[in-house]
């Protein structure tokens, strides 16, 4: 969907969702968020001006960041040597 060729007064939720899908394929999450915020603001302005009765962007959110797998978090937090040292310390402290 080329959002630039769409008449704002005729845009529907489906148009916005198509636009979002295209953004997700092309850009990083932060860019998708900025663009969705921009068009949400545009449609709010059209509502205030009486040119639209609804905002087709309401409820459309940017994608959430993927949750890191627990293993990858631990790998980034401690090296294998650091983890072994920490676990040895814990086992000695427990006795």
């Amino acid at each position: 969907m080329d959002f630039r060729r769409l008449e704002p007064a005729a845009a529907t939720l489906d148009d916005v969702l198509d636009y979002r899908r295209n953004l997700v394929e092309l850009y990083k999450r932060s860019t998708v968020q900025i663009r969705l915020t921009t068009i949400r603001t545009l449609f709010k302005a059209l509502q205030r001006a009486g040119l639209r009765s609804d905002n087709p962007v309401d409820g459309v959110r940017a994608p959430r960041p993927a949750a890191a797998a627990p293993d990858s978090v631990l790998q980034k937090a401690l090296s294998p040597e650091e983890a072994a040292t920490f676990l040895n310390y814990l086992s000695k402290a427990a006795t």
Side-chain angles (χ1 to χ4, degrees):
M1 132 111 349
D2 187 354
F3 215 69
R4 294 171 293 187
R5 296 177 193 227
L6 185 65
E7 184 67 34
T12 65
L13 175 60
D14 288 336
D15 294 325
V16 174
L17 292 174
D18 286 343
Y19 179 63
R20 180 190 180 275
R21 272 190 290 278
N22 289 337
L23 291 176
V24 168
E25 291 174 9
L26 297 172
Y27 301 103
K28 291 182 181 180
R29 189 180 70 83
S30 59
T31 301
V32 174
Q33 178 68 39
I34 291 167
R35 290 188 178 211
L36 289 175
T37 298
T38 301
I39 65 168
R40 184 175 294 111
T41 303
L42 166 75
F43 282 106
K44 282 181 185 177
L46 291 174
Q47 281 181 295
R48 278 185 245 131
L51 299 173
R52 281 206 62 122
S53 61
D54 66 332
N55 186 338
V57 191
D58 280 348
V60 177
R61 303 285 178 236
R64 294 180 181 212
D71 290 343
S72 68
V73 172
L74 290 177
Q75 288 171 356
K76 290 178 183 178
L78 298 173
S79 70
E81 295 80 21
E82 291 169 326
T85 301
F86 181 68
L87 290 173
N88 285 336
Y89 173 79
L90 289 178
S91 66
K92 288 178 184 176
T95 56

